[in-house]
Amino acid sequence: MDGADKRVRILVADDHPVFRDGLKRLLEAEPDFCVVAEAGDGEAAVRLASELRPDVLLLDLAMPRCSGMEALRQMAALSLSVRTLILAAVVEKAEMIEALQLGARGIVLKESATELLLKSIRQIMAGHYWVGLESVSNLIQALREFLPAPNPNGGKKNFGLTPHELEIIAAVVAGCTNKDVAEKFSVSERTVKYHLTGIFDKVGVSNRLELALFAINHNLLPNE
Amino acid sequence: MTVVRECRGPDPPPGWLPRPPRFEVKTPIKYRKTGETQWHEGVTENISGAGVFIRAVDPVPPKTAIEMIFSLFQRSSGQATTQVHCRGYIVREVPLTGAELGLAARITKYRLLRVHTAGK
């Protein structure tokens, strides 16, 4: 691979070596995909995602030692922004909700057609979410069951942002540069950039002005 | 949780980027042609990270480079949180009612400034 490689870099995490191998061959048959690493459990998935920063993580849920869901929790806690596509044999409704809340970009069942998997990867790379067609009706029903009814009197959504991320947003909206934010929170500018990338991903914006507009529009700023 | 949507239809073409989200923000805006000293006043209709639509009376022909300044206000308190200084150019001019016209401007550069230091 050279520096100008535009292929989608994929990390495959599944505890079955034969499945991983088959999936790797399938993905690498596509000219725009390359598999950068394989993980046999959730712990390795988190470590490799952190080290290699793949574009996409294909993550099985049922894995030994550290499950896919636990890996998602760890990545969310680390603010590790990797587009994660759950690739599972079976997904319970509650798991679907939790996975999406933890930042997964989509869910594909292992029984799905190959084309559907390839399409789902391209869709999440284009910034969309993907939920396998069979699952959607389940998901909507589950959302109704699990989520509280909307509160017309100001239920405030936080889009999965951590309190620290909300503080960073407030600083950016107040006109702070990355350097200012770094000084304010006693971290490096690189860490600030890293947090901002995660924030941009979570709220779906691509620059600071959009972030400011989004934060004001969704009332994410602390009251003065 | 972010909106989950079912994806159908053909894959987007290579290089395709989604249109930046537009926010309905009505806030006073000052604009002037680059190099001009006199500011003109208008009100924004909507703003995105890449452009702004201004309701104004002073025309500016398309492709003219302009500077813009507007403030963003916190919804709950109504206090100005940020002043935004932008450079860009007019994309199109559309007639509105009466003497009013709409100016669609592309933002090519911007700076978010703290309100207490802005405008110096």
mmCIF file of all heavy atoms in Angstrom, chain A residues 100 119 123 128-131 133 143 172-175 180 202 207-210 213 216-217 221-224, chain B residues 1-2 4-7 9 11 20-21 23 47-49 72-76 79 81-82 110 112 114:
data_model
loop_
_atom_site.group_PDB
_atom_site.id
_atom_site.type_symbol
_atom_site.label_atom_id
_atom_site.label_comp_id
_atom_site.label_asym_id
_atom_site.label_seq_id
_atom_site.Cartn_x
_atom_site.Cartn_y
_atom_site.Cartn_z
ATOM 1 N N LEU A 100 -26.127 1.111 18.548
ATOM 2 C CA LEU A 100 -26.242 2.393 17.841
ATOM 3 C C LEU A 100 -25.978 3.555 18.793
ATOM 4 O O LEU A 100 -25.346 4.536 18.424
ATOM 5 C CB LEU A 100 -27.625 2.522 17.185
ATOM 6 C CG LEU A 100 -27.853 1.556 16.014
ATOM 7 C CD1 LEU A 100 -29.316 1.512 15.622
ATOM 8 C CD2 LEU A 100 -27.022 1.957 14.796
ATOM 9 N N LYS A 119 -22.342 -2.973 0.121
ATOM 10 C CA LYS A 119 -23.075 -1.707 0.006
ATOM 11 C C LYS A 119 -23.135 -0.990 1.360
ATOM 12 O O LYS A 119 -22.968 0.233 1.439
ATOM 13 C CB LYS A 119 -24.488 -1.988 -0.504
ATOM 14 C CG LYS A 119 -25.275 -0.744 -0.835
ATOM 15 C CD LYS A 119 -26.593 -1.106 -1.466
ATOM 16 C CE LYS A 119 -27.421 0.148 -1.713
ATOM 17 N NZ LYS A 119 -28.721 -0.158 -2.297
ATOM 18 N N GLN A 123 -21.943 2.717 2.216
ATOM 19 C CA GLN A 123 -22.899 3.698 2.743
ATOM 20 C C GLN A 123 -22.382 4.338 4.030
ATOM 21 O O GLN A 123 -22.497 5.546 4.207
ATOM 22 C CB GLN A 123 -24.266 3.043 2.996
ATOM 23 C CG GLN A 123 -25.015 2.698 1.724
ATOM 24 C CD GLN A 123 -25.538 3.926 0.991
ATOM 25 O OE1 GLN A 123 -25.646 4.996 1.556
ATOM 26 N NE2 GLN A 123 -25.831 3.768 -0.284
ATOM 27 N N HIS A 128 -23.596 7.685 5.981
ATOM 28 C CA HIS A 128 -24.941 7.232 6.334
ATOM 29 C C HIS A 128 -24.901 6.162 7.436
ATOM 30 O O HIS A 128 -23.841 5.640 7.761
ATOM 31 C CB HIS A 128 -25.627 6.619 5.115
ATOM 32 C CG HIS A 128 -25.803 7.583 3.990
ATOM 33 N ND1 HIS A 128 -26.555 8.721 4.113
ATOM 34 C CD2 HIS A 128 -25.299 7.594 2.738
ATOM 35 C CE1 HIS A 128 -26.518 9.384 2.972
ATOM 36 N NE2 HIS A 128 -25.754 8.732 2.122
ATOM 37 N N TYR A 129 -26.065 5.872 7.942
ATOM 38 C CA TYR A 129 -26.219 4.734 8.844
ATOM 39 C C TYR A 129 -26.849 3.608 8.047
ATOM 40 O O TYR A 129 -27.546 3.849 7.061
ATOM 41 C CB TYR A 129 -27.129 5.089 10.022
ATOM 42 C CG TYR A 129 -26.430 5.919 11.060
ATOM 43 C CD1 TYR A 129 -26.162 7.263 10.840
ATOM 44 C CD2 TYR A 129 -26.018 5.359 12.257
ATOM 45 C CE1 TYR A 129 -25.505 8.027 11.778
ATOM 46 C CE2 TYR A 129 -25.358 6.111 13.209
ATOM 47 C CZ TYR A 129 -25.111 7.445 12.965
ATOM 48 O OH TYR A 129 -24.461 8.183 13.906
ATOM 49 N N TRP A 130 -26.601 2.377 8.472
ATOM 50 C CA TRP A 130 -27.164 1.240 7.751
ATOM 51 C C TRP A 130 -27.743 0.258 8.766
ATOM 52 O O TRP A 130 -27.060 -0.177 9.684
ATOM 53 C CB TRP A 130 -26.081 0.539 6.932
ATOM 54 C CG TRP A 130 -26.624 -0.643 6.190
ATOM 55 C CD1 TRP A 130 -26.885 -1.892 6.702
ATOM 56 C CD2 TRP A 130 -27.025 -0.675 4.832
ATOM 57 N NE1 TRP A 130 -27.404 -2.688 5.733
ATOM 58 C CE2 TRP A 130 -27.496 -1.975 4.570
ATOM 59 C CE3 TRP A 130 -27.016 0.263 3.793
ATOM 60 C CZ2 TRP A 130 -27.972 -2.364 3.326
ATOM 61 C CZ3 TRP A 130 -27.485 -0.127 2.558
ATOM 62 C CH2 TRP A 130 -27.953 -1.424 2.327
ATOM 63 N N VAL A 131 -28.991 -0.046 8.568
ATOM 64 C CA VAL A 131 -29.580 -1.105 9.387
ATOM 65 C C VAL A 131 -30.235 -2.064 8.419
ATOM 66 O O VAL A 131 -31.069 -1.652 7.614
ATOM 67 C CB VAL A 131 -30.606 -0.537 10.382
ATOM 68 C CG1 VAL A 131 -31.218 -1.663 11.193
ATOM 69 C CG2 VAL A 131 -29.935 0.451 11.317
ATOM 70 N N LEU A 133 -32.358 -4.457 6.262
ATOM 71 C CA LEU A 133 -33.787 -4.248 6.028
ATOM 72 C C LEU A 133 -34.668 -5.051 6.979
ATOM 73 O O LEU A 133 -35.652 -4.551 7.499
ATOM 74 C CB LEU A 133 -34.138 -4.622 4.584
ATOM 75 C CG LEU A 133 -33.414 -3.835 3.500
ATOM 76 C CD1 LEU A 133 -33.908 -4.251 2.139
ATOM 77 C CD2 LEU A 133 -33.608 -2.347 3.704
ATOM 78 N N LEU A 143 -37.278 0.953 19.365
ATOM 79 C CA LEU A 143 -37.100 2.355 19.745
ATOM 80 C C LEU A 143 -38.313 2.850 20.511
ATOM 81 O O LEU A 143 -38.194 3.549 21.507
ATOM 82 C CB LEU A 143 -36.899 3.211 18.490
ATOM 83 C CG LEU A 143 -35.495 3.212 17.895
ATOM 84 C CD1 LEU A 143 -35.509 3.878 16.528
ATOM 85 C CD2 LEU A 143 -34.527 3.940 18.812
ATOM 86 N N VAL A 172 -15.223 26.036 21.880
ATOM 87 C CA VAL A 172 -15.082 26.319 20.444
ATOM 88 C C VAL A 172 -16.102 27.368 20.014
ATOM 89 O O VAL A 172 -15.776 28.322 19.296
ATOM 90 C CB VAL A 172 -15.258 25.018 19.618
ATOM 91 C CG1 VAL A 172 -15.401 25.322 18.136
ATOM 92 C CG2 VAL A 172 -14.068 24.092 19.843
ATOM 93 N N VAL A 173 -17.327 27.209 20.490
ATOM 94 C CA VAL A 173 -18.381 28.158 20.115
ATOM 95 C C VAL A 173 -18.057 29.546 20.668
ATOM 96 O O VAL A 173 -18.383 30.564 20.064
ATOM 97 C CB VAL A 173 -19.770 27.665 20.593
ATOM 98 C CG1 VAL A 173 -20.834 28.700 20.328
ATOM 99 C CG2 VAL A 173 -20.124 26.361 19.903
ATOM 100 N N ALA A 174 -17.369 29.554 21.813
ATOM 101 C CA ALA A 174 -16.993 30.855 22.393
ATOM 102 C C ALA A 174 -15.807 31.482 21.662
ATOM 103 O O ALA A 174 -15.313 32.528 22.064
ATOM 104 C CB ALA A 174 -16.654 30.681 23.869
ATOM 105 N N GLY A 175 -15.340 30.823 20.610
ATOM 106 C CA GLY A 175 -14.287 31.420 19.789
ATOM 107 C C GLY A 175 -12.886 30.969 20.146
ATOM 108 O O GLY A 175 -11.912 31.527 19.637
ATOM 109 N N ASP A 180 -6.155 27.536 22.582
ATOM 110 C CA ASP A 180 -6.867 28.031 23.778
ATOM 111 C C ASP A 180 -7.513 26.868 24.539
ATOM 112 O O ASP A 180 -7.463 26.785 25.760
ATOM 113 C CB ASP A 180 -7.985 29.010 23.383
ATOM 114 C CG ASP A 180 -7.460 30.254 22.702
ATOM 115 O OD1 ASP A 180 -6.305 30.618 22.965
ATOM 116 O OD2 ASP A 180 -8.214 30.860 21.910
ATOM 117 N N LYS A 202 -19.775 12.533 15.826
ATOM 118 C CA LYS A 202 -21.003 12.264 16.584
ATOM 119 C C LYS A 202 -22.168 13.126 16.130
ATOM 120 O O LYS A 202 -23.300 12.662 16.083
ATOM 121 C CB LYS A 202 -20.761 12.490 18.084
ATOM 122 C CG LYS A 202 -20.003 11.353 18.752
ATOM 123 C CD LYS A 202 -19.902 11.588 20.245
ATOM 124 C CE LYS A 202 -19.108 10.470 20.898
ATOM 125 N NZ LYS A 202 -18.940 10.679 22.344
ATOM 126 N N ASN A 207 -17.120 21.223 10.148
ATOM 127 C CA ASN A 207 -16.216 22.310 10.534
ATOM 128 C C ASN A 207 -16.745 23.032 11.778
ATOM 129 O O ASN A 207 -17.835 22.734 12.280
ATOM 130 C CB ASN A 207 -15.959 23.278 9.364
ATOM 131 C CG ASN A 207 -17.215 23.999 8.903
ATOM 132 O OD1 ASN A 207 -18.063 24.381 9.706
ATOM 133 N ND2 ASN A 207 -17.344 24.180 7.600
ATOM 134 N N ARG A 208 -15.953 23.965 12.272
ATOM 135 C CA ARG A 208 -16.275 24.623 13.555
ATOM 136 C C ARG A 208 -17.529 25.480 13.448
ATOM 137 O O ARG A 208 -18.302 25.596 14.404
ATOM 138 C CB ARG A 208 -15.088 25.474 14.010
ATOM 139 C CG ARG A 208 -13.854 24.679 14.271
ATOM 140 C CD ARG A 208 -12.651 25.582 14.322
ATOM 141 N NE ARG A 208 -12.332 25.992 15.677
ATOM 142 C CZ ARG A 208 -11.524 25.333 16.485
ATOM 143 N NH1 ARG A 208 -10.965 24.222 16.070
ATOM 144 N NH2 ARG A 208 -11.275 25.766 17.693
ATOM 145 N N LEU A 209 -17.707 26.116 12.280
ATOM 146 C CA LEU A 209 -18.895 26.950 12.127
ATOM 147 C C LEU A 209 -20.155 26.093 12.184
ATOM 148 O O LEU A 209 -21.136 26.433 12.858
ATOM 149 C CB LEU A 209 -18.821 27.735 10.803
ATOM 150 C CG LEU A 209 -20.023 28.585 10.445
ATOM 151 C CD1 LEU A 209 -20.370 29.579 11.562
ATOM 152 C CD2 LEU A 209 -19.778 29.360 9.147
ATOM 153 N N GLU A 210 -20.119 24.951 11.481
ATOM 154 C CA GLU A 210 -21.270 24.047 11.544
ATOM 155 C C GLU A 210 -21.484 23.566 12.975
ATOM 156 O O GLU A 210 -22.619 23.415 13.426
ATOM 157 C CB GLU A 210 -21.037 22.821 10.651
ATOM 158 C CG GLU A 210 -21.505 23.016 9.228
ATOM 159 C CD GLU A 210 -21.219 21.803 8.362
ATOM 160 O OE1 GLU A 210 -21.130 20.688 8.874
ATOM 161 O OE2 GLU A 210 -21.058 22.004 7.146
ATOM 162 N N LEU A 213 -23.190 26.286 14.894
ATOM 163 C CA LEU A 213 -24.600 26.381 14.504
ATOM 164 C C LEU A 213 -25.388 25.210 15.094
ATOM 165 O O LEU A 213 -26.499 25.371 15.611
ATOM 166 C CB LEU A 213 -24.720 26.379 12.977
ATOM 167 C CG LEU A 213 -24.191 27.636 12.274
ATOM 168 C CD1 LEU A 213 -23.948 27.373 10.803
ATOM 169 C CD2 LEU A 213 -25.169 28.788 12.443
ATOM 170 N N ILE A 216 -25.836 25.610 18.942
ATOM 171 C CA ILE A 216 -26.830 26.624 19.297
ATOM 172 C C ILE A 216 -28.226 26.117 18.942
ATOM 173 O O ILE A 216 -29.158 26.213 19.736
ATOM 174 C CB ILE A 216 -26.501 27.949 18.587
ATOM 175 C CG1 ILE A 216 -25.275 28.575 19.258
ATOM 176 C CG2 ILE A 216 -27.688 28.906 18.619
ATOM 177 C CD1 ILE A 216 -24.653 29.710 18.510
ATOM 178 N N ASN A 217 -28.335 25.504 17.774
ATOM 179 C CA ASN A 217 -29.631 25.012 17.322
ATOM 180 C C ASN A 217 -30.193 23.921 18.236
ATOM 181 O O ASN A 217 -31.393 23.821 18.433
ATOM 182 C CB ASN A 217 -29.477 24.470 15.896
ATOM 183 C CG ASN A 217 -30.778 24.428 15.156
ATOM 184 O OD1 ASN A 217 -31.519 25.396 15.171
ATOM 185 N ND2 ASN A 217 -31.069 23.318 14.526
ATOM 186 N N LEU A 221 -25.268 24.298 24.569
ATOM 187 C CA LEU A 221 -24.350 25.148 25.327
ATOM 188 C C LEU A 221 -24.847 25.348 26.754
ATOM 189 O O LEU A 221 -26.056 25.399 26.984
ATOM 190 C CB LEU A 221 -24.212 26.510 24.641
ATOM 191 C CG LEU A 221 -23.740 26.446 23.192
ATOM 192 C CD1 LEU A 221 -23.737 27.827 22.575
ATOM 193 C CD2 LEU A 221 -22.351 25.842 23.123
ATOM 194 N N PRO A 222 -23.909 25.457 27.712
ATOM 195 C CA PRO A 222 -24.342 25.678 29.092
ATOM 196 C C PRO A 222 -24.991 27.055 29.226
ATOM 197 O O PRO A 222 -24.622 27.991 28.496
ATOM 198 C CB PRO A 222 -23.039 25.611 29.885
ATOM 199 C CG PRO A 222 -21.973 25.934 28.898
ATOM 200 C CD PRO A 222 -22.455 25.459 27.567
ATOM 201 N N ASN A 223 -25.971 27.148 30.128
ATOM 202 C CA ASN A 223 -26.593 28.463 30.351
ATOM 203 C C ASN A 223 -25.610 29.378 31.050
ATOM 204 O O ASN A 223 -24.915 28.973 31.960
ATOM 205 C CB ASN A 223 -27.859 28.308 31.204
ATOM 206 C CG ASN A 223 -28.953 27.632 30.423
ATOM 207 O OD1 ASN A 223 -29.122 27.886 29.234
ATOM 208 N ND2 ASN A 223 -29.662 26.729 31.070
ATOM 209 N N GLU A 224 -25.563 30.616 30.552
ATOM 210 C CA GLU A 224 -24.607 31.583 31.121
ATOM 211 C C GLU A 224 -25.107 32.050 32.478
ATOM 212 O O GLU A 224 -26.272 32.207 32.688
ATOM 213 C CB GLU A 224 -24.493 32.796 30.192
ATOM 214 C CG GLU A 224 -24.085 32.390 28.788
ATOM 215 C CD GLU A 224 -22.599 32.495 28.546
ATOM 216 O OE1 GLU A 224 -22.032 33.513 28.917
ATOM 217 O OE2 GLU A 224 -22.013 31.557 27.991
ATOM 218 N N MET B 1 -29.963 9.937 20.185
ATOM 219 C CA MET B 1 -29.330 9.158 19.133
ATOM 220 C C MET B 1 -29.534 9.849 17.787
ATOM 221 O O MET B 1 -30.562 10.440 17.547
ATOM 222 C CB MET B 1 -29.973 7.776 19.122
ATOM 223 C CG MET B 1 -29.237 6.804 18.248
ATOM 224 S SD MET B 1 -29.851 5.141 18.466
ATOM 225 C CE MET B 1 -31.549 5.349 18.043
ATOM 226 N N THR B 2 -28.550 9.755 16.975
ATOM 227 C CA THR B 2 -28.648 10.335 15.642
ATOM 228 C C THR B 2 -29.704 9.585 14.841
ATOM 229 O O THR B 2 -29.984 8.429 15.107
ATOM 230 C CB THR B 2 -27.278 10.210 14.946
ATOM 231 O OG1 THR B 2 -26.288 10.631 15.858
ATOM 232 C CG2 THR B 2 -27.226 11.044 13.701
ATOM 233 N N VAL B 4 -31.531 7.338 12.450
ATOM 234 C CA VAL B 4 -31.145 6.104 11.776
ATOM 235 C C VAL B 4 -32.017 6.011 10.543
ATOM 236 O O VAL B 4 -33.215 6.174 10.612
ATOM 237 C CB VAL B 4 -31.434 4.891 12.673
ATOM 238 C CG1 VAL B 4 -31.129 3.616 11.913
ATOM 239 C CG2 VAL B 4 -30.623 4.967 13.936
ATOM 240 N N ARG B 5 -31.407 5.832 9.421
ATOM 241 C CA ARG B 5 -32.264 5.694 8.272
ATOM 242 C C ARG B 5 -31.890 4.478 7.437
ATOM 243 O O ARG B 5 -30.745 4.063 7.415
ATOM 244 C CB ARG B 5 -32.252 6.960 7.427
ATOM 245 C CG ARG B 5 -30.915 7.311 6.871
ATOM 246 C CD ARG B 5 -31.078 8.522 6.024
ATOM 247 N NE ARG B 5 -29.819 9.231 5.987
ATOM 248 C CZ ARG B 5 -29.552 10.184 5.138
ATOM 249 N NH1 ARG B 5 -30.445 10.578 4.281
ATOM 250 N NH2 ARG B 5 -28.396 10.770 5.134
ATOM 251 N N GLU B 6 -32.903 3.964 6.829
ATOM 252 C CA GLU B 6 -32.693 2.812 5.986
ATOM 253 C C GLU B 6 -32.120 3.327 4.668
ATOM 254 O O GLU B 6 -32.599 4.324 4.136
ATOM 255 C CB GLU B 6 -34.063 2.175 5.763
ATOM 256 C CG GLU B 6 -34.040 0.955 4.941
ATOM 257 C CD GLU B 6 -35.460 0.495 4.700
ATOM 258 O OE1 GLU B 6 -36.295 0.588 5.601
ATOM 259 O OE2 GLU B 6 -35.724 0.056 3.586
ATOM 260 N N CYS B 7 -31.092 2.690 4.195
ATOM 261 C CA CYS B 7 -30.464 3.182 2.981
ATOM 262 C C CYS B 7 -30.885 2.344 1.790
ATOM 263 O O CYS B 7 -30.782 1.140 1.814
ATOM 264 C CB CYS B 7 -28.952 3.131 3.135
ATOM 265 S SG CYS B 7 -28.396 4.060 4.543
ATOM 266 N N GLY B 9 -31.326 2.503 -2.776
ATOM 267 C CA GLY B 9 -30.916 3.217 -3.971
ATOM 268 C C GLY B 9 -29.446 3.003 -4.284
ATOM 269 O O GLY B 9 -28.737 2.325 -3.554
ATOM 270 N N ASP B 11 -25.396 3.513 -4.959
ATOM 271 C CA ASP B 11 -24.325 4.112 -4.166
ATOM 272 C C ASP B 11 -24.035 5.505 -4.694
ATOM 273 O O ASP B 11 -24.152 5.759 -5.891
ATOM 274 C CB ASP B 11 -23.048 3.273 -4.296
ATOM 275 C CG ASP B 11 -23.228 1.923 -3.641
ATOM 276 O OD1 ASP B 11 -24.104 1.808 -2.771
ATOM 277 O OD2 ASP B 11 -22.509 0.987 -4.027
ATOM 278 N N PRO B 20 -23.852 20.356 3.184
ATOM 279 C CA PRO B 20 -23.744 20.717 4.599
ATOM 280 C C PRO B 20 -25.125 21.065 5.173
ATOM 281 O O PRO B 20 -25.944 21.654 4.465
ATOM 282 C CB PRO B 20 -22.851 21.954 4.579
ATOM 283 C CG PRO B 20 -22.205 21.983 3.258
ATOM 284 C CD PRO B 20 -23.102 21.262 2.318
ATOM 285 N N PRO B 21 -25.371 20.678 6.425
ATOM 286 C CA PRO B 21 -26.672 20.994 7.008
ATOM 287 C C PRO B 21 -26.886 22.501 7.103
ATOM 288 O O PRO B 21 -25.957 23.233 7.421
ATOM 289 C CB PRO B 21 -26.602 20.362 8.400
ATOM 290 C CG PRO B 21 -25.157 20.153 8.675
ATOM 291 C CD PRO B 21 -24.482 19.998 7.358
ATOM 292 N N PHE B 23 -28.989 25.689 8.796
ATOM 293 C CA PHE B 23 -29.708 26.001 10.025
ATOM 294 C C PHE B 23 -30.466 27.308 9.815
ATOM 295 O O PHE B 23 -29.907 28.279 9.319
ATOM 296 C CB PHE B 23 -28.720 26.156 11.183
ATOM 297 C CG PHE B 23 -27.957 24.904 11.465
ATOM 298 C CD1 PHE B 23 -26.753 24.646 10.823
ATOM 299 C CD2 PHE B 23 -28.443 23.952 12.344
ATOM 300 C CE1 PHE B 23 -26.043 23.479 11.060
ATOM 301 C CE2 PHE B 23 -27.743 22.774 12.596
ATOM 302 C CZ PHE B 23 -26.548 22.539 11.956
ATOM 303 N N ILE B 47 -28.081 29.604 7.544
ATOM 304 C CA ILE B 47 -26.610 29.564 7.494
ATOM 305 C C ILE B 47 -26.176 28.098 7.529
ATOM 306 O O ILE B 47 -26.778 27.288 8.247
ATOM 307 C CB ILE B 47 -25.986 30.282 8.715
ATOM 308 C CG1 ILE B 47 -26.574 31.684 8.901
ATOM 309 C CG2 ILE B 47 -24.472 30.372 8.585
ATOM 310 C CD1 ILE B 47 -26.131 32.377 10.192
ATOM 311 N N SER B 48 -25.169 27.771 6.756
ATOM 312 C CA SER B 48 -24.546 26.451 6.869
ATOM 313 C C SER B 48 -23.049 26.683 7.060
ATOM 314 O O SER B 48 -22.594 27.827 7.091
ATOM 315 C CB SER B 48 -24.788 25.618 5.608
ATOM 316 O OG SER B 48 -23.946 26.041 4.562
ATOM 317 N N GLY B 49 -22.321 25.595 7.178
ATOM 318 C CA GLY B 49 -20.878 25.733 7.314
ATOM 319 C C GLY B 49 -20.225 26.214 6.030
ATOM 320 O O GLY B 49 -19.046 26.551 6.012
ATOM 321 N N LEU B 72 -23.814 34.953 16.604
ATOM 322 C CA LEU B 72 -24.697 33.833 16.924
ATOM 323 C C LEU B 72 -25.149 34.018 18.367
ATOM 324 O O LEU B 72 -24.343 34.370 19.236
ATOM 325 C CB LEU B 72 -23.954 32.511 16.758
ATOM 326 C CG LEU B 72 -23.511 32.188 15.327
ATOM 327 C CD1 LEU B 72 -22.671 30.916 15.296
ATOM 328 C CD2 LEU B 72 -24.712 32.056 14.405
ATOM 329 N N PHE B 73 -26.428 33.790 18.596
ATOM 330 C CA PHE B 73 -27.001 34.035 19.924
ATOM 331 C C PHE B 73 -27.446 32.723 20.560
ATOM 332 O O PHE B 73 -28.020 31.866 19.882
ATOM 333 C CB PHE B 73 -28.207 34.963 19.808
ATOM 334 C CG PHE B 73 -27.839 36.348 19.359
ATOM 335 C CD1 PHE B 73 -27.704 36.646 18.002
ATOM 336 C CD2 PHE B 73 -27.599 37.346 20.283
ATOM 337 C CE1 PHE B 73 -27.350 37.916 17.578
ATOM 338 C CE2 PHE B 73 -27.242 38.626 19.864
ATOM 339 C CZ PHE B 73 -27.113 38.911 18.514
ATOM 340 N N GLN B 74 -27.195 32.597 21.839
ATOM 341 C CA GLN B 74 -27.657 31.424 22.571
ATOM 342 C C GLN B 74 -29.180 31.484 22.656
ATOM 343 O O GLN B 74 -29.741 32.531 22.985
ATOM 344 C CB GLN B 74 -27.044 31.414 23.970
ATOM 345 C CG GLN B 74 -27.302 30.130 24.703
ATOM 346 C CD GLN B 74 -26.290 29.899 25.810
ATOM 347 O OE1 GLN B 74 -25.372 30.670 25.974
ATOM 348 N NE2 GLN B 74 -26.479 28.851 26.562
ATOM 349 N N ARG B 75 -29.819 30.361 22.352
ATOM 350 C CA ARG B 75 -31.283 30.369 22.303
ATOM 351 C C ARG B 75 -31.916 30.633 23.667
ATOM 352 O O ARG B 75 -32.876 31.359 23.785
ATOM 353 C CB ARG B 75 -31.792 29.034 21.761
ATOM 354 C CG ARG B 75 -31.603 28.918 20.285
ATOM 355 C CD ARG B 75 -32.421 27.808 19.720
ATOM 356 N NE ARG B 75 -32.534 27.975 18.282
ATOM 357 C CZ ARG B 75 -33.217 27.175 17.509
ATOM 358 N NH1 ARG B 75 -33.871 26.152 18.019
ATOM 359 N NH2 ARG B 75 -33.293 27.395 16.218
ATOM 360 N N SER B 76 -31.332 29.983 24.698
ATOM 361 C CA SER B 76 -31.982 30.078 26.004
ATOM 362 C C SER B 76 -31.851 31.475 26.606
ATOM 363 O O SER B 76 -32.813 32.026 27.137
ATOM 364 C CB SER B 76 -31.395 29.024 26.946
ATOM 365 O OG SER B 76 -29.997 29.119 26.937
ATOM 366 N N GLN B 79 -28.234 35.697 24.626
ATOM 367 C CA GLN B 79 -26.951 36.412 24.626
ATOM 368 C C GLN B 79 -26.109 36.001 23.431
ATOM 369 O O GLN B 79 -26.119 34.830 23.036
ATOM 370 C CB GLN B 79 -26.164 36.082 25.899
ATOM 371 C CG GLN B 79 -26.728 36.746 27.135
ATOM 372 C CD GLN B 79 -25.847 36.478 28.333
ATOM 373 O OE1 GLN B 79 -25.292 35.405 28.478
ATOM 374 N NE2 GLN B 79 -25.738 37.461 29.207
ATOM 375 N N THR B 81 -23.084 34.656 21.655
ATOM 376 C CA THR B 81 -22.018 33.759 22.104
ATOM 377 C C THR B 81 -20.765 33.935 21.257
ATOM 378 O O THR B 81 -19.661 33.802 21.743
ATOM 379 C CB THR B 81 -22.443 32.289 21.989
ATOM 380 O OG1 THR B 81 -22.798 32.035 20.637
ATOM 381 C CG2 THR B 81 -23.601 31.968 22.886
ATOM 382 N N THR B 82 -20.956 34.181 19.991
ATOM 383 C CA THR B 82 -19.836 34.181 19.061
ATOM 384 C C THR B 82 -20.069 35.218 17.979
ATOM 385 O O THR B 82 -21.197 35.405 17.540
ATOM 386 C CB THR B 82 -19.767 32.824 18.311
ATOM 387 O OG1 THR B 82 -20.062 31.780 19.208
ATOM 388 C CG2 THR B 82 -18.433 32.602 17.658
ATOM 389 N N TYR B 110 -13.603 31.583 7.406
ATOM 390 C CA TYR B 110 -14.322 32.206 8.516
ATOM 391 C C TYR B 110 -13.459 32.154 9.763
ATOM 392 O O TYR B 110 -12.516 31.357 9.849
ATOM 393 C CB TYR B 110 -15.667 31.503 8.757
ATOM 394 C CG TYR B 110 -15.515 30.094 9.229
ATOM 395 C CD1 TYR B 110 -15.317 29.807 10.580
ATOM 396 C CD2 TYR B 110 -15.525 29.047 8.334
ATOM 397 C CE1 TYR B 110 -15.136 28.519 11.007
ATOM 398 C CE2 TYR B 110 -15.342 27.754 8.748
ATOM 399 C CZ TYR B 110 -15.157 27.483 10.088
ATOM 400 O OH TYR B 110 -14.958 26.204 10.510
ATOM 401 N N LEU B 112 -14.229 32.303 14.084
ATOM 402 C CA LEU B 112 -15.160 32.481 15.206
ATOM 403 C C LEU B 112 -14.414 33.318 16.239
ATOM 404 O O LEU B 112 -13.291 32.977 16.611
ATOM 405 C CB LEU B 112 -15.536 31.130 15.814
ATOM 406 C CG LEU B 112 -16.151 30.079 14.890
ATOM 407 C CD1 LEU B 112 -16.500 28.819 15.684
ATOM 408 C CD2 LEU B 112 -17.405 30.607 14.224
ATOM 409 N N ARG B 114 -14.433 35.455 19.997
ATOM 410 C CA ARG B 114 -15.113 35.683 21.276
ATOM 411 C C ARG B 114 -15.847 37.010 21.176
ATOM 412 O O ARG B 114 -15.325 37.972 20.613
ATOM 413 C CB ARG B 114 -14.091 35.794 22.404
ATOM 414 C CG ARG B 114 -13.410 34.515 22.763
ATOM 415 C CD ARG B 114 -12.519 34.769 23.972
ATOM 416 N NE ARG B 114 -11.672 33.634 24.247
ATOM 417 C CZ ARG B 114 -10.480 33.466 23.679
ATOM 418 N NH1 ARG B 114 -10.034 34.345 22.826
ATOM 419 N NH2 ARG B 114 -9.754 32.408 23.966
#
